[in-house]
Structure formats: C-alpha cells, structure tokens
Amino acid sequence: MVESGRGLPDVLILLEHQPVYTLGRASSEEHVKFDLENPPWDVHRIDRGGEVTYHGPGQVVGYPIVNLKNHKKDLRWYIRSLEQVIINTLAKYDVEGTRKEGLTGVWNGEQKLAAIGLGASKWVTMHGFALNVTENLSGFDQIVPCGIKEKSVGCLNRFAPQGNPSTFFLSHHP
C-alpha cells in the first residue's frame, strides 16, 4: 500500500445513478422543495462542496480520483480543468459550453448543463461532475439546483444540432 498515492494512476469512474438527491457539506435545506422526512427518492448528505443536486437516469456522473500532488495542488485549477474537459466534450457535439463568472459548472446560455461538486483529502480528489445528457430533468423540479434560483438546468440533447449524444453516453442504459 502506498500511503502518499504517488505513482498510482488517476482513475475516472463514469456511471448513471438511480434517482437520488445529494446535499453538500454546507447545503441549506431551504433549497429542498419536498419534505425531507418523506422524500420522493433517497437523500444523502455527502462530504463535497456545493448545494443540493439531483442525479438520475439520463445523466453521466463522473468521479475522478486524482492525486493533485502529482499535478498541481490547487482545487480552483482542478475545478477549471474539469470544466474545460466538459466544454471540450460538448464541442465534439457542436454544443457550446461556457463558464459563468462567480459560478461553478458548465453552461449553455442561461442553462446549466454540468454541475461540479468536489471534495479532497490530502490532495486526493473525490466526488466530481454530473453532465445532463437527456431531457429527463424532472428531478430538478423538487430542488433549487446548486442553490441558484435565477438559472435553469439544461441538457446536451437539447442543444446538439445533429445526432443523439445519448447513444454514446448512455449506451448501456436498460
């Protein structure tokens, strides 16, 4: 076992969750529109930054496990790097992805296509990003996504000019 993690490869776990709500370590319950004692789906408080979010079918969730000691010990740099990877991925589908000043994530116009919520321990990252691919966004109706009241959530399929990106991203969806 290598305690420092040096020399171990970075890992990316990609998956699609069953419907679930997660609240970051400093999340405010005022952004939840349902009774937490009787939620529509599972709710979990987790050790990541950010507010409440929804994960579910039609969304690609990535959990990069990266030892930043091997790259750059800077969480802001890492977040911007994740955003850039998502922006580059969207560009492959001729979809513009942008950043918004003062906000984390990837946007198209006023719609957030990808959320990022991170944690790190001893410079090893945990948690990651969620990219909305298909139009099944109804789980977001029960929350104020990421605590941002004045913006909405969008998906890749809505903006892709041709083809269906979900055939690539969600090819193993039952």
Side-chain angles (χ1 to χ4, degrees), residues 8-166:
L8 295 177
D10 296 335
V11 175
L12 174 61
I13 301 168
L14 291 174
L15 56 96
E16 183 180 24
H17 281 288
Q18 291 300 312
V20 63
Y21 291 103
T22 63
L23 290 90
R25 62 184 157 266
S27 288
S28 170
E29 292 179 5
E30 73 183 50
H31 298 298
V32 176
K33 298 178 184 178
F34 55 83
D35 178 3
L36 284 166
E37 298 297 318
N38 188 26
W41 295 298
D42 287 346
V43 176
H44 297 278
R45 284 200 172 272
I46 56 175
D47 188 27
R48 64 153 170 79
E51 274 291 343
V52 62
T53 196
Y54 164 79
H55 297 303
Q59 188 182 65
V60 173
V61 179
Y63 295 99
I65 303 169
V66 177
N67 187 339
L68 294 177
K69 291 177 190 175
N70 298 334
H71 301 279
K72 187 173 185 176
K73 292 181 358 182
D74 183 337
L75 287 176
R76 291 180 208 273
W77 167 83
Y78 178 66
I79 290 169
R80 297 301 163 263
S81 296
L82 281 180
E83 288 171 339
Q84 192 60 53
V85 167
I86 295 166
I87 289 168
N88 294 348
T89 300
L90 294 174
K92 297 283 185 189
Y93 295 96
D94 296 322
V95 174
E96 181 183 27
T98 62
R99 295 181 178 98
K100 288 214 173 283
E101 184 71 32
L103 298 173
T104 299
V106 177
W107 304 77
N108 183 288
E110 296 300 304
Q111 294 190 330
K112 190 170 192 175
L113 303 183
I116 297 174
L118 297 178
S121 176
K122 299 180 182 178
W123 295 107
V124 176
T125 65
M126 60 186 103
H127 304 291
F129 65 87
L131 173 62
N132 302 322
V133 178
T134 66
E135 305 242 2
N136 184 5
L137 303 174
S138 61
F140 290 104
D141 295 341
Q142 299 295 315
I143 60 172
V144 178
C146 303
I148 305 170
K149 295 178 184 173
E150 61 279 358
K151 306 283 186 210
S152 63
V153 175
C155 65
L156 176 57
N157 277 3
R158 189 174 295 163
F159 297 103
Q162 57 188 340
N164 184 346
S166 64

